[in-house]
Amino acid sequence: MSHQASTAEAAIDYCYHCGSLVPAGAPWSITLDERDHPLCCPGCEAVAHAIVDGGLGSYYRFRTELPERPDERQAVKAETWAVFDDPGLQRQFVHAEGDGDRVHATLAVDGITCAACAWLIEHRLNDLEGVTSSAVNLSHHRVRVAWDPARLKLSRILAEMAAIGYSAQPYEPDAAQQRLQFEERMNIRRLIVAAVGMAQVMMFSIPIYMAAPGEISADFYALFHWLSFALATPVVFFSAMPFFRNAVRDLRARVLGMDVPVSIAIGGAYLASGYAVIADTGEVYFDSVAMFTFFLLFGRYVEARARRRSGHTGNVMAGALPLSAVRLEANGEERILPASELVAGDRVVVKPGHGVPADGVIEEGESSLDESMLTGEYLPVNRRLGDSVTGGSQNIESPLVVRVTHAGKDARVASIVDLTDRAFASRPRLARLAARMSHLFVLRLLVVTVCVTTAWWFIDPSRMLWVMLSVLVVTCPCALALATPTALTAGHGQLRRRGILITRADAIESLSQVDRVIFDKTGTLTCGEMQLIDTRPLDGITGERARTVAAALEAHSEHPIARAFRPWRQATVDASDKASRTGQGVEGTIDGKRWRLGRADFVAPGHALSPPGEGQWLLLGEEGEPRAWFALRDRLREDAAETVAELKARGIQVELLSGDTAEAVRGMADQLGIETWQAGASPEGKLARIRECQAAGEKVAMIGDGINDVPVLAGADVSIAMNGATDLARTSADAVLLSPRLLRIVEAIEIARATRRIMRQNMIWSVCYNFSALPLAAIGIVPPWVAALGMSGSSLVVVGNALRLNRFRLRPAPVSAPEARLVNA
């Protein structure tokens, strides 16, 4: 079908994008060249708008045939990957997401080389009906996909990725690491071949450049050219093969990636030089071909090593859990089994020097554990009877008996890996801008190259080819595409090493602009380890009975207050119809009576009661009548005062919002030097306060740890959950503090500022370089070998600038300096 015929038919009743029949009254359309063209479905509308808005409207203007339907492409037959649709197999790597209607999986992907690959994969997957999100992790060569299993099968996702040239399979840390190591070995071999070829070709080219006319005979000219031809051939067909393969893949997917102009430059120079040698006429550019290939490979190798080094922690985390465990059987015997077979309730023995195979609680023993992989704190921590331990930590001193609470994919370390992958589901505004600019730049570069080549055809045909090569090479947008991913990867790695896990990439940009930090009190500024220090019975109830009733009401709760009553929990006393009133307390029925525990106005609304002393007091009531007062105490975190002072020294407002009594909140605010505080705040009140600050133009960060903080965490511009936060709070937050040190929050803000600053520097450098190098190459004063040096140098500048984040140090900020400095080691 010709383009004219297809256009005429599409104007009547055929989809302008795919050629299908358009349903009667269909509202979908695309405007191109001041004409409205009908579309058959919202999917075609989304793809068509993405093509036109991306500056690729010429695809429709110059296409000669309609795209093949998916069911006509043999490469996308999902039957090849049908084995991955088996429910038993999927249980190992497919997990429920959100309300349970969606699932997600992490896939290991082969062939990812740059940000353009990520763009192509994400756009292709997001176009599939049923896919809700997809995010490529450039550091680890992984993609996290979420989809609706009722509308789409996993085999179709794998098939679609294979159709655009990216082989994918469920992520397994060991297999993925082997693939990365194989890719690295191949890259080194390609780099060595290119280096040897470049050195030898230059050895034959330098005499030709340096010799005066007539000093070298025609036979030696021919010999040097043929030897250069032979040496450049393996460089092109082996070392440069990834560029050609990626360019073909991009063109098949109708995407202009960075490897398209690179392949044109290498292939064009090689073919033109080969023709010149065979025909014995024209210029030879084998030295430029070999040099360009070497410097481009070297730049990408350095960039890949930097990303892999920054992302190494993520792969280590994925394999943190030991492969085996020693389980205690009912008869007391020890049995060695795979750690993946552990279930909640199992009792395991952890010997000194061994890793903890799952999350659990210590039932026997006391020892020191190394949790540096999880928290970034390198000093061992002491753990004793009743304390929680995290899978992946290392036992140092004495044997422990641990009862498993969460194993395998439910363990905390597994959720950390998943949250890390989720961080790449969104990118900061600067990253999205850079990705869009790099894709648009390639199209404009090709147009400019055609114009420059045409102009030199009339100016000096003998120089036309090398000027074209210089333009293609010197303005390759590698640096522009690397500007933000390298900075983000380095920033993520620096944060992770300090025990700060970013779960949404937008958090880095939001953190860098924070004006106000709002803290919750219990479990945030305090350690969250509540202790019952006093009981004041009222009206005939004994202290023991009061504590037993309170423990029954707080049973199975994750709130820090509930842990204070656990020692008095009795199996014979149970509460039914329990309900938690956020910001008020808990209630339930015991022996036919309705009991409440919490604030006095909630427990006994008809009584005017005041706490019997200073500090935090809870009231226990029966059928609206007061029965007992409980005094609780929580220990302030050691670095809380230092953290508040550091934030204020950087010009950041600090505020305390708590649901506790005014006396308790006022005392803590005075102790920490916090001028703005609010007591008795409900979650709705906290959220209203955040909205008030945001309406005043402030960027607000919220720090919390409990279920009652979830709405507030979601409402803040950026939210951080503490290391002891509930699972719901961790998944709702933009970042998770794995370390118990509050000062890490200050470091997170400063690292985010440094990351954003470096992203802007890289963007400015990349844009200025390309716009300054283009006219110099176009007027013919930049030879191809200088262009290769300039392009590779610009990419290395971007990578090197981003790697400065690896040497970040936090200095105490003087009052007059709002920002910490990025110090070189």
Side-chain angles (χ1 to χ4, degrees):
M1 181 184 296
S2 68
H3 171 63
Q4 292 80 5
S6 65
T7 304
E9 292 177 6
I12 301 174
D13 56 357
Y14 288 94
C15 178
Y16 188 64
H17 177 72
C18 69
S20 300
L21 287 173
V22 177
W28 308 290
S29 65
I30 182 71
T31 301
L32 184 63
D33 297 331
E34 300 182 353
R35 290 185 56 190
D36 289 335
H37 303 279
L39 299 167
C40 66
C41 65
C44 283
E45 183 182 44
V47 176
H49 278 285
I51 292 174
V52 174
D53 294 343
L56 302 177
S58 56
Y59 161 70
Y60 290 113
R61 299 188 185 99
F62 303 116
R63 65 179 177 181
T64 57
E65 59 182 7
L66 292 170
E68 295 177 300
R69 303 295 297 166
D71 56 352
E72 296 171 351
R73 290 175 298 179
Q74 297 300 317
V76 193
K77 285 187 176 180
E79 289 80 359
T80 308
W81 294 269
V83 64
F84 293 106
D85 292 332
D86 179 68
L89 181 61
Q90 287 193 4
R91 277 196 294 270
Q92 302 178 21
F93 58 88
V94 177
H95 313 294
E97 179 170 284
D99 54 8
D101 293 336
R102 296 175 300 164
V103 296
H104 73 266
T106 299
L107 308 175
V109 185
D110 294 332
I112 293 180
T113 58
C114 62
C117 300
W119 183 89
L120 174 59
I121 292 172
E122 290 174 1
H123 278 68
R124 184 60 172 260
L125 293 183
N126 290 337
D127 286 342
L128 291 177
E129 182 179 359
V131 171
T132 56
S133 67
S134 64
V136 173
N137 186 326
L138 278 173
S139 302
H140 306 150
H141 291 200
R142 301 202 298 258
V143 58
R144 184 183 190 272
V145 189
W147 73 96
D148 182 355
R151 301 167 58 194
L152 183 68
K153 293 183 177 180
L154 177 61
S155 58
R156 174 69 186 283
I157 296 175
L158 297 173
E160 287 293 331
M161 292 190 64
I164 57 174
Y166 297 93
S167 174
Q169 56 185 320
Y171 173 68
E172 298 176 8
D174 293 339
Q177 191 65 27
Q178 290 175 2
R179 284 194 297 272
L180 290 177
Q181 291 174 354
F182 174 77
E183 290 179 8
E184 186 169 1
R185 287 196 299 269
M186 289 301 297
N187 290 338
I188 293 175
R189 291 170 185 168
R190 290 190 175 98
L191 188 61
I192 292 173
V193 170
V196 173
M198 178 189 70
Q200 296 301 316
V201 171
M202 290 300 297
M203 183 178 68
F204 295 117
S205 300
I206 290 176
I208 296 177
Y209 291 145
M210 302 298 294
E215 288 187 356
I216 299 180
S217 66
D219 291 339
F220 273 104
Y221 263 111
L223 176 63
F224 288 166
H225 286 165
W226 277 102
L227 289 174
S228 298
F229 190 6
L231 291 167
T233 298
V235 174
V236 172
F237 286 96
F238 177 68
S239 298
M241 186 53 62
F243 306 138
F244 296 114
R245 186 166 53 242
N246 295 341
V248 171
R249 180 192 62 208
D250 291 344
L251 292 175
R252 285 179 176 174
R254 298 182 177 87
V255 174
L256 292 176
M258 290 182 298
D259 288 324
V260 173
V262 168
S263 299
I264 293 175
I266 295 176
Y270 176 78
L271 293 176
S273 302
Y275 174 80
V277 171
I278 296 172
D280 195 20
T281 179
E283 298 291 334
V284 175
Y285 305 99
F286 292 122
D287 53 344
S288 297
V289 169
M291 187 176 295
F292 178 41
T293 302
F294 170 75
F295 283 121
L296 187 59
L297 284 173
F298 180 72
R300 292 195 178 185
Y301 176 74
V302 172
E303 182 266 335
R305 284 294 299 268
R307 283 195 289 107
R308 194 165 296 133
R309 185 167 55 251
S310 297
H312 178 68
T313 304
N315 287 329
V316 172
M317 288 284 291
L321 293 177
L323 297 178
S324 62
V326 180
R327 185 173 67 186
L328 280 178
E329 302 297 333
N331 57 6
E333 293 183 358
E334 297 182 0
R335 178 191 171 193
I336 300 177
L337 75 166
S340 58
E341 295 184 10
L342 292 176
V343 296
D346 285 346
R347 300 172 73 237
V348 295
V349 176
V350 184
K351 298 179 181 179
H354 291 198
V356 180
D359 297 350
V361 177
I362 296 177
E363 288 196 341
E364 296 179 19
E366 178 179 347
S367 183
S368 296
L369 296 179
D370 179 4
E371 300 179 350
S372 58
M373 183 182 297
L374 304 168
T375 66
E377 304 294 335
Y378 293 96
L379 292 177
V381 293
N382 191 47
R383 293 286 185 261
R384 56 178 61 89
L385 183 67
D387 287 346
S388 298
V389 294
T390 304
S393 55
Q394 298 292 315
N395 186 14
I396 297 177
E397 297 172 348
S398 306
L400 298 173
V401 176
V402 176
R403 180 170 295 278
V404 174
T405 56
H406 300 88
K409 65 180 182 180
D410 297 324
R412 187 182 182 193
V413 67
S415 67
I416 288 174
V417 174
D418 185 61
L419 289 174
T420 303
D421 290 335
R422 193 184 76 178
F424 290 84
S426 60
R427 292 182 176 86
R429 179 181 55 84
L430 280 176
R432 295 192 295 268
L433 176 63
R436 179 178 174 84
M437 287 177 61
S438 63
H439 290 295
L440 295 178
F441 189 85
V442 173
L443 177 62
R444 287 164 173 74
L445 169 62
L446 295 177
V447 173
V448 169
T449 303
V450 171
C451 296
V452 171
T453 304
T454 304
W456 276 96
W457 173 263
F458 295 101
I459 297 172
D460 186 355
S462 64
R463 302 180 62 192
M464 178 189 68
L465 180 59
W466 74 258
V467 170
M468 180 195 74
L469 296 177
S470 297
V471 171
L472 284 173
V473 171
V474 80
T475 56
C476 178
C478 295
L480 185 60
L482 293 173
T484 56
T486 51
L488 282 175
T489 300
H492 274 272
Q494 184 63 251
L495 288 166
R496 179 63 195 84
R497 284 190 291 274
R498 293 169 183 262
I500 306 150
L501 179 66
I502 297 294
T503 64
R504 290 184 177 87
D506 284 334
I508 287 185
E509 187 167 10
S510 300
L511 269 175
S512 67
Q513 301 171 329
V514 162
D515 302 307
R516 181 180 296 269
V517 174
I518 297 179
F519 286 98
D520 181 39
K521 175 179 170 288
T522 304
T524 303
L525 290 173
T526 64
C527 295
E529 299 173 359
M530 304 296 293
Q531 294 178 335
L532 180 61
I533 59 173
D534 193 9
T535 304
R536 302 281 181 89
L538 303 172
D539 296 336
I541 191 173
T542 65
E544 185 67 27
R545 172 63 177 172
R547 290 188 288 268
T548 301
V549 170
L553 293 174
E554 293 284 7
H556 310 299
S557 173
E558 293 190 32
H559 197 278
I561 290 177
R563 292 194 284 269
F565 292 97
R566 283 180 183 171
W568 290 274
R569 180 79 175 93
Q570 294 185 10
T572 57
V573 181
D574 193 22
S576 59
D577 299 327
K578 290 190 296 184
S580 176
R581 308 299 181 189
T582 305
Q584 302 290 323
V586 295
E587 61 179 321
T589 301
I590 300 176
D591 298 331
K593 301 290 186 179
R594 196 66 177 170
W595 291 82
R596 286 185 174 183
L597 175 67
R599 291 172 46 167
D601 56 353
F602 165 69
V603 174
H607 298 72
L609 299 173
S610 298
E614 294 293 330
Q616 184 174 359
W617 290 84
L618 294 181
L619 181 63
L620 177 68
E622 178 185 12
E623 298 291 347
E625 296 296 325
R627 290 291 180 257
W629 283 100
F630 298 109
L632 302 176
R633 181 177 61 191
D634 193 3
R635 182 167 54 89
L636 192 67
R637 291 186 186 267
E638 294 179 358
D639 59 346
E642 183 182 3
T643 300
V644 172
E646 289 284 348
L647 289 172
K648 293 169 68 176
R650 287 164 171 77
I652 299 174
Q653 300 295 319
V654 180
E655 186 170 341
L656 173 58
L657 292 182
S658 176
D660 289 345
T661 62
E663 292 79 5
V665 177
R666 181 189 298 111
M668 178 168 291
D670 293 341
Q671 184 178 356
L672 297 177
I674 300 176
E675 293 82 10
T676 306
W677 57 272
Q678 181 178 339
S682 65
E684 294 79 11
K686 294 180 182 179
L687 187 57
R689 174 57 183 164
I690 286 179
R691 298 294 188 217
E692 178 184 344
C693 296
Q694 291 171 332
E698 294 182 341
K699 291 285 187 180
V700 180
M702 177 68 195
I703 320 295
D705 77 316
I707 292 178
N708 58 335
D709 294 321
V710 170
V712 192
L713 292 173
D717 294 289
V718 59
S719 54
I720 301 178
M722 296 299 296
N723 62 315
T726 61
D727 292 338
L728 185 57
R730 283 202 299 267
T731 55
S732 301
D734 300 313
V736 178
L737 190 64
L738 301 176
S739 167
R741 297 182 60 196
L742 272 179
L743 198 59
R744 298 298 191 190
I745 296 172
V746 182
E747 296 179 350
I749 293 175
E750 289 305 315
I751 292 172
R753 287 178 174 179
T755 301
R756 186 169 184 266
R757 188 162 57 246
I758 285 180
M759 287 168 61
R760 296 173 70 91
Q761 292 170 358
N762 284 352
M763 287 278 293
I764 293 172
W765 161 259
S766 302
V767 172
C768 291
Y769 164 77
N770 279 289
F771 277 96
S772 60
L774 178 58
L776 296 177
I779 62 178
I781 63 174
V782 179
W785 67 272
V786 173
L789 283 174
M791 183 280 306
S792 301
S794 67
S795 299
L796 292 178
V797 166
V798 166
V799 174
N801 192 37
L803 291 181
R804 289 197 300 143
L805 285 168
N806 292 331
R807 300 191 298 272
F808 177 88
R809 291 193 219 159
L810 183 71
R811 283 185 175 179
V815 176
S816 58
E819 290 191 7
R821 291 188 295 273
L822 187 64
V823 182
N824 290 335

